[in-house]
Amino acid sequence: MNTGTYSTTGELAKHATLILGALIVILPFYVMVSFSLKSPQEIGTHAGGFFGSQQAFLDQYCVKLGNPEADCWRNPAAYNYGNAFKKAPLLRYLLNGVIVTVSIFVIQVLIALPCAYALAKLRFWGRELVFGLVLFCLLIPVHAIALPLYIMLANVGLTNTYAALVIPWTISVFGIFLMRQFFKTVPDDLIDAARMDGMSEFGIVWKVMLPCAIPALMAFAIFSVVAHWNDYFWPRVVLTGSRDLYTPPLGLREFQGGLDGADTGPLMASATVIVIPLLVAFLLAQRKFIEGITLSGMK
Amino acid sequence: MTILRHTRLAGYGFVLPALVLMFVILLVPVLVAAVLSFTDYSLGNSTADWLAWKNYEKIFTRSSYQKMLWASALYVLIVVPVSIAFGLAAALAIHSLRFGGNLYKTIYFLPVMAALLAMAIVWETALHPTIGIVNRSLEAGCGGWVETFFSWGWIPGVDPESSWYASSCQEGFPLWLGEKRYALATICFIGIWQAFGFNMVLYLAGLTGIPRELIHAAAMDGARSSWQRFRLVTWPMLGPTTVFVVTITAIRSFQVFDTVEALTEGGPSKTTYVMMYAIYEKAVEQNLMGMGSAITIVFLMLVMVMTALQRYMVERRVHYS
């Protein structure tokens, strides 16, 4: 980008600075994965490098329970990941996370797509008014109104249900806005041709517009799934009782709170299990992900 | 004609579900919070007393709420400029690289993808006084050239004994999340760590939008140093991106909650008592819904003012295209 001269020292200095930055960025990921592989002693003494020595260690808790010592030797990695799933219902949390994020996305699309189509392509009285309302609602972050939503859900007895986790996110004004802008670019001829063929408006939304919108929908899917998989605030507010409904971040927090501090290995293993799926997906489809996450940059 | 009528009906049918949900989920709650903020409502009570402005009075006069406003303001005022500066610097450096740019971009974006709560817990482990890698590495530098260097004794007129590094080597490195002096700064650090990659990506997008000819033209016209070219061309051209990045980072950092709830619970001495945490603590934990609603309303006002300001700036066209 620099005009004309290209300086090697400048290039090297930039690389040095960027590498230093990268090390700080990666540090917690390094700690997380490394500790999830180590035995408690290795964590305490910082021995064993990144992977730990992977030598079997004596599980003191197992000995205290009165088991013979010979039965209490454990492989560190297996112990940490095993306990992550055993001591807390991590699998259940992951399943809840999938159920909640998928339901949210599907309902968001079912609600937003027809609305966006109507705002972009149909003529009816009050259309501009509705669009104005969408623009106004863009100003309201759902987290900011979590409290009144919680009060309303509590008064109809809906706290501690899947419904409570999903309901506030069913309406995505951002999704409506985004899809409306996208549908504006779809040529009217296409819709008219579908009408000539006798297709109903309902059919047009799902059989003509939806296939057109796949790229935009993909980006929106990533935006939505990442936000709700990682969300901690809303589940924390609305789930007060049973652990059965906990989403991954809430489950992890509960796991941390219940530890006496000695079980860092299993805790880091749980964190790894929760964080890695999205990171792997991101590494596999970087362009799509960056596009999706920065969608809000298109406003 | 029939088609027109037909599509009009379809239009209403398609808009209706979204319209109903917008009212029930977004607009009614704002009204509910506004009304409750004048009462002492709590869940389980069938009635509540009308307090008029008392909740709001408390927010602006009681010291614990003043600490809340102060903590939130400080957090935003630190995280926004620093994460934007780092994001911009990273974007400029990566954009001008001959090779390897994409690798840095990928790495810097990782924190944006990772669940903040999980990473907060990991940071807590990394900052732990005994098993944490941070203090352990700092301690490893004591007594060697690292201490000599970072005690700044080699700068004329500086007393190395009184430097932060040397005295920490003597008295031990801080409990990052437990000491009043460091807790908010540490929470800010995690916030910056998480946010700057997002800003970097937006700036990279902005940079690719600047036509090369413009920069060449500036160079021809005598903008010799790259700083001059940045100040005269790049920075003004990034105007719209900057307006957007500032607003979105401000709104997001205003909503900080995960790190505070998991690591400090507002303490020590309310130095990290940010607004979202205050809402959670007052309303959900202590069932003081009236007070929680009042904080919610103040919070909403601030967020809406910020967004409205952004829209106004965009409409005034902070760009040159």
Side-chain angles (χ1 to χ4, degrees):
Chain A
M1 196 68 219
N2 272 326
T3 48
T5 54
Y6 161 73
S7 100
T8 317
T9 32
E11 179 94 355
L12 281 177
K14 277 176 203 157
H15 275 292
T17 321
L18 287 168
I19 287 171
L20 187 72
L23 289 179
I24 296 172
V25 168
I26 289 177
L27 178 86
F29 296 104
Y30 175 91
V31 170
M32 177 176 80
V33 177
S34 171
F35 277 21
S36 80
L37 299 171
K38 289 183 173 189
S39 70
Q41 288 83 353
E42 284 169 330
I43 289 173
T45 57
H46 273 240
F50 179 72
F51 292 104
S53 61
Q54 291 307 322
Q55 275 162 5
F57 71 98
L58 190 63
D59 180 3
Q60 301 297 341
Y61 182 67
C62 168
V63 177
K64 262 184 226 154
L65 286 180
N67 296 310
E69 241 181 57
D71 292 346
C72 290
W73 289 90
R74 301 274 184 269
N75 168 275
Y79 170 86
N80 289 338
Y81 283 90
N83 268 347
F85 284 93
K86 251 190 333 218
K87 284 201 178 166
L90 186 55
L91 214 54
R92 179 69 196 247
Y93 299 157
L94 294 170
L95 184 69
N96 288 339
V98 173
I99 293 174
V100 170
T101 46
V102 171
S103 322
I104 289 175
F105 174 66
V106 170
I107 300 176
Q108 280 178 336
V109 172
L110 286 179
I111 303 279
L113 219 57
C115 180
Y117 168 68
L119 291 178
K121 293 294 184 190
L122 300 178
R123 282 201 201 89
F124 55 94
W125 184 88
R127 187 178 74 168
E128 294 313 308
L129 204 68
V130 176
F131 187 57
L133 200 65
V134 169
L135 290 181
F136 177 75
C137 286
L138 275 173
L139 289 171
I140 307 171
V142 178
H143 276 167
I145 52 168
L147 175 60
L149 278 171
Y150 167 66
I151 296 173
M152 289 160 73
L153 286 168
N155 277 313
V156 291
L158 270 179
T159 48
N160 295 311
T161 58
Y162 279 121
L165 289 171
V166 173
I167 286 172
W169 311 104
T170 51
I171 177 80
S172 170
V173 274
F174 178 62
I176 295 174
F177 178 78
L178 190 77
M179 297 320 284
R180 175 203 178 255
Q181 303 305 85
F182 186 81
F183 286 158
K184 279 264 179 197
T185 64
V186 175
D188 284 338
D189 293 350
L190 190 70
I191 297 162
D192 287 336
R195 280 185 192 135
M196 293 295 182
D197 288 346
M199 208 182 261
S200 68
E201 293 301 314
F202 189 78
I204 292 175
V205 172
W206 301 112
K207 294 197 189 119
V208 180
M209 300 310 270
L210 177 68
C212 283
I214 291 293
L217 267 183
M218 276 293 292
F220 180 65
I222 290 169
F223 174 80
S224 167
V225 166
V226 170
H228 298 116
W229 179 269
N230 291 343
D231 186 25
Y232 172 63
F233 181 66
W234 178 248
R236 168 95 275 171
V237 168
V238 88
L239 296 184
T240 46
S242 162
R243 290 206 302 189
D244 290 347
L245 293 170
Y246 278 14
T247 55
L250 196 53
L252 182 68
R253 173 76 173 103
E254 203 62 15
F255 190 30
Q256 179 211 25
L259 291 180
D260 43 12
D263 266 346
T264 310
L267 183 66
M268 292 297 111
S270 306
T272 310
V273 171
I274 287 166
V275 166
I276 290 297
L278 281 186
L279 290 193
V280 170
F282 163 64
L283 292 175
L284 291 176
Q286 278 183 55
R287 274 243 328 271
K288 278 274 158 216
F289 266 78
I290 291 181
E291 202 179 296
I293 304 298
T294 52
L295 257 189
S296 38
M298 289 167 55
K299 260 192 236 179
Chain B
M1 265 298 106
T2 49
I3 281 194
L4 256 183
R5 214 183 117 222
H6 182 68
T7 61
R8 198 170 60 215
L9 280 178
Y12 289 123
F14 288 165
V15 163
L16 192 68
L19 207 55
V20 170
L21 287 176
M22 263 192 276
F23 272 100
V24 176
I25 291 174
L26 298 171
L27 298 173
V28 172
V30 175
L31 290 178
V32 169
V35 172
L36 291 183
S37 70
F38 294 107
T39 68
D40 63 354
Y41 178 75
S42 45
L43 276 185
N45 290 6
S46 49
T47 57
D49 286 333
W50 188 258
L51 298 181
W53 294 94
K54 278 212 182 98
N55 285 329
Y56 291 97
E57 251 177 66
K58 277 188 199 165
I59 293 180
F60 293 104
T61 54
R62 288 265 177 95
S63 85
S64 68
Y65 295 111
Q66 281 174 338
K67 279 180 186 159
M68 167 189 85
L69 296 171
W70 180 239
S72 276
L74 215 56
Y75 182 88
V76 174
L77 289 176
I78 294 171
V79 171
V80 172
V82 177
S83 71
I84 289 175
F86 282 172
L88 177 60
L92 287 170
I94 288 171
H95 191 68
S96 67
L97 280 182
R98 291 222 150 169
F99 63 91
N102 272 329
L103 182 63
Y104 297 119
K105 186 171 152 189
T106 306
I107 292 173
Y108 289 178
F109 202 71
L110 287 177
V112 184
M113 300 293 310
L116 182 56
L117 178 95
M119 297 323 287
I121 290 174
V122 177
W123 270 116
E124 189 185 29
T125 310
L127 294 167
H128 191 277
T130 55
I131 63 169
I133 194 169
V134 173
N135 281 11
R136 199 171 268 267
S137 310
L138 288 170
E139 278 157 22
C142 287
W145 63 269
V146 179
E147 187 187 343
T148 321
F149 181 82
F150 285 107
S151 301
W152 315 118
W154 45 276
I155 301 173
V158 174
D159 172 23
E161 290 301 307
S162 62
S163 74
W164 181 85
Y165 203 99
S167 50
S168 296
C169 277
Q170 295 277 312
E171 291 146 32
F173 285 92
L175 271 166
W176 297 103
L177 292 158
E179 283 174 38
K180 236 172 114 177
R181 266 177 77 190
Y182 298 106
L184 185 68
T186 311
I187 296 289
C188 287
F189 170 79
I190 301 175
I192 295 162
W193 170 84
Q194 206 248 348
F196 90 97
F198 183 83
N199 298 340
M200 169 202 70
V201 165
L202 291 177
Y203 272 123
L204 275 172
L207 282 171
T208 42
I210 301 175
R212 267 161 191 267
E213 302 85 63
L214 221 58
I215 292 178
H216 286 295
M220 298 274 202
D221 285 351
R224 299 230 171 275
S225 70
S226 43
W227 165 247
Q228 274 178 320
R229 285 193 294 271
F230 172 76
R231 196 172 57 84
L232 294 170
V233 181
T234 315
W235 179 242
M237 288 298 287
L238 287 174
T241 313
T242 303
V243 170
F244 177 73
V245 170
V246 170
T247 339
I248 195 156
T249 319
I251 290 175
R252 284 188 180 190
S253 40
F254 215 46
Q255 296 183 46
V256 60
F257 173 79
D258 300 14
T259 42
V260 172
E261 198 273 343
L263 304 184
T264 63
E265 299 189 328
S269 346
K270 295 225 152 70
T271 43
T272 61
Y273 193 60
V274 295
M275 289 184 90
M276 281 304 256
Y277 184 74
I279 294 174
Y280 170 76
E281 193 203 59
K282 287 291 151 200
V284 180
E285 287 192 330
Q286 304 174 4
N287 200 3
L288 298 170
M289 297 295 173
M291 193 62 220
S293 301
I295 306 174
T296 296
I297 293 296
V298 174
F299 186 90
L300 264 179
M301 299 275 208
L302 292 169
V303 169
M304 290 175 110
V305 165
M306 283 195 274
T307 321
L309 212 65
Q310 176 219 0
R311 286 206 188 153
Y312 172 76
M313 299 264 284
V314 170
E315 254 143 57
R316 284 215 16 220
R317 293 240 208 109
V318 250
H319 53 82
Y320 293 70
S321 53

